[in-house]
Every structure is written in structure tokens, then in C-alpha cells.
């Protein structure tokens, strides 16, 4: 099975951009357009990695990652914030909320590629107890 990446994003242009990049790299992309459906999909699909927009229509990305990290079956999945709020302190706020990584939008292909390679570990390693 190919590596599956869930992207939680309400902006369809960003969704399309990231979809294009992930597909060109051979990843399978799962998509959710708000926080609650994203959490539901994460629990159902157990993706290898989750990309999360911060400004979502229901609960924000910081709340999404908080709930992911509180869930023992989901906590080990790397979660990377994607936000256009590229302000000073934003990165620290994301990492403090539980994100494993942070990328500023618009995301560059090479940055996304590097982040994925950094955070994607073999299942055997990731699931080790
Ligand atoms: Mn958004």
C-alpha cells in the first residue's frame, strides 16, 4: 500500500496545489474540509501523516492537533501544520499545541518533500512500543 497522507484544509486551491505535489511524489492523499471530519477520517483511515490547516471553519487546527495527540491510537501519527499566518511566534504556537512540524503557505514543493521525508518513518519504527 502506498503511503497515505491526510490533508485537512478548507481552501480548495491549497487542497489542489498539495494534491498535485503529493500525487507527483507517489503518495495517496486523503482529504477533509473541516476539523471534525478530519478527526473522523484520521480515526477511520489511520494515515501515515496528517497535514493540518490552522484556520478551519469549525474547530481550528490547534484544537485538531490537541485532540489527535490526546488519542492514544492517533498520537503517534506525525502532524504538520500548514498555515498562512507566517507571523513571528506562529511556529512556536503550533509546536506548543502538539504539532510535530510546521510549514508556511504557500507551501513550496521542496519544503513539503523534505518535511514528508523527515517525518515519515517505516511503520515498524513508528508503531514500536
Ligand atoms: Mn483555512
Amino acid at each position: 500500500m502506498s503511503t497515505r497522507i491526510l490533508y485537512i484544509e478548507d481552501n480548495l486551491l491549497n487542497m489542489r496545489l498539495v494534491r498535485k505535489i503529493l500525487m507527483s511524489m507517489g503518495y495517496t492523499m486523503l482529504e477533509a474540509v473541516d476539523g471534525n471530519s478530519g478527526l473522523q477520517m484520521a480515526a477511520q483511515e489511520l494515515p501515515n501523516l496528517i497535514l493540518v490547516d490552522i484556520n478551519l471553519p469549525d474547530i481550528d487546527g490547534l484544537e485538531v492537533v490537541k485532540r489527535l495527540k490526546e488519542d492514544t491510537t492517533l498520537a503517534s501519527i506525525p502532524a504538520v501544520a500548514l498555515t498562512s499566518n507566517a507571523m513571528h511566534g506562529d511556529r512556536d504556537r503550533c509546536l506548543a499545541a502538539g504539532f510535530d512540524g510546521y510549514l508556511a503557505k504557500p507551501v513550496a514543493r521542496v519544503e513539503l518533500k523534505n518535511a514528508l521525508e523527515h517525518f515519515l518513518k517505516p511503520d515498524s519504527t513508528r508503531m514500536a512500543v
Side-chain angles (χ1 to χ4, degrees), residues 9-11 53-57 105:
E9 169 66 81
D10 64 315
N11 181 299
D53 175 33
I54 296 301
N55 297 311
L56 292 165
K105 289 194 287 194

